[in-house]
Amino acid sequence: MKSLISRLRPATARLSPGRAVAIAMLLGPLAGALLAYGAVAAQEPNEVTIDNFTFGPKELTVAVGTTVKFVNHDDIPHTVVDKNKGFRSKALDTDDSFSFTFASAGTFDYFCGLHPQMVGKIIVK
């Protein structure tokens, strides 16, 4: 992205202010879409993120033997606790993670032990 910007600067310097604004208005949505795609593509398929006091995705379906990684992107600690006591993480600070391998089929409802209103579900088939 930096190299693209460095190449565009000399070209835009030759444009009139009106044309530069028009080009920026046309390219702005494209740049925004590319950034949004990068953010979505960055999440791993078997990853649950913790952000803004929510687990995302709220429900995840995986195959038996899959390892799911929980990553806290909030500014405060959270935990991941299985309602049936199958797994429990330590307190996860910002950008800390916890992984658990689901060895058997079933539905695993979980919550944050520090904020019980935060809930999620892993379905293992």
Side-chain angles (χ1 to χ4, degrees), residues 35-53:
L35 291 172
Y37 174 76
V40 170
Q43 183 175 358
E44 295 178 26
N46 297 319
E47 183 175 280
V48 175
T49 59
I50 304 168
D51 200 5
N52 199 23
F53 286 87

Side-chain angles (χ1 to χ4, degrees), residues 52-85:
N52 199 23
F53 286 87
T54 57
F55 292 106
K58 207 168 225 3
E59 186 175 297
L60 180 65
T61 302
V62 298
V64 172
T66 300
T67 299
V68 175
K69 183 177 181 181
F70 299 83
V71 182
N72 181 15
H73 292 301
D74 255 343
D75 293 337
I76 63 166
H78 293 288
T79 62
V80 182
V81 181
D82 177 26
K83 285 186 179 179
N84 292 321
K85 301 179 182 173

Side-chain angles (χ1 to χ4, degrees), residues 7-19:
R7 290 181 185 167
L8 288 175
R9 281 190 182 145
T12 56
R14 295 185 298 249
L15 295 175
S16 68
R19 284 189 181 173

Side-chain angles (χ1 to χ4, degrees), residues 62-117:
V62 298
V64 172
T66 300
T67 299
V68 175
K69 183 177 181 181
F70 299 83
V71 182
N72 181 15
H73 292 301
D74 255 343
D75 293 337
I76 63 166
H78 293 288
T79 62
V80 182
V81 181
D82 177 26
K83 285 186 179 179
N84 292 321
K85 301 179 182 173
F87 58 87
R88 180 184 192 97
S89 74
K90 65 175 182 65
L92 304 174
D93 285 325
T94 303
D95 294 328
D96 279 351
S97 66
F98 166 74
S99 295
F100 184 78
T101 301
F102 291 88
S104 61
T107 299
F108 298 84
D109 293 307
Y110 62 89
F111 63 98
C112 173
L114 303 171
H115 312 98
Q117 75 278 9

